Amino acid sequence: MTSTTGTTGASPSSGLAPEIAARLKRSADGLLPAIAQQYDTGEVLMLGWMDDEALHRTLTTGRCTYWSRSRREYWVKGDTSGHFQWVKSVALDCDADTVLVRVDQVGAACHTGDRTCFDADVLLVGGGDGADSGPAASDQ
């Protein structure tokens, strides 16, 4: 795990290209939500947080680097778990306030050991016409 005692947000010490940094709309704490998605299936894997430096590291190393809000340090997905995220592409949304990182996920993406962070608590299946709405089929 790579760590730092630095602060988040737009930082002159970040290696992020100035033309990219200027476009970003960060939260009050200098972070952007980063959605990790399996590149070939479209499966949404997890949500992490990036500041300018984490985004720079992700763009230049080919591995997802996130900012841990609880530990206040950078972490590279897979360094401790072996469940790597190999970057295939990185895109900024239309509002420039969210990053989509399309990855090749090796192993579980979720810290619980699940493939994705969105497997365990399904609130609605289907929807719209009411035919499949309501609790997940396994809950009925």
Side-chain angles (χ1 to χ4, degrees), residues 37-89:
Q37 179 184 42
Q38 179 63 34
Y39 82 100
D40 54 353
T41 65
E43 180 181 31
V44 177
L45 301 169
M46 61 172 277
L47 171 80
W49 296 92
M50 292 184 180
D51 65 1
D52 288 24
E53 182 60 24
L55 180 56
H56 168 70
R57 292 179 189 188
T58 298
L59 292 170
T60 58
T61 66
R63 296 189 48 210
C64 283
T65 300
Y66 299 99
W67 174 258
S68 171
R69 296 176 300 165
S70 59
R71 294 187 313 263
R72 305 218 29 92
E73 64 184 13
Y74 295 104
W75 56 280
V76 179
K77 185 69 172 171
D79 272 0
T80 57
S81 67
H83 300 162
F84 298 99
Q85 290 179 341
W86 300 104
V87 176
K88 296 294 186 175
S89 68

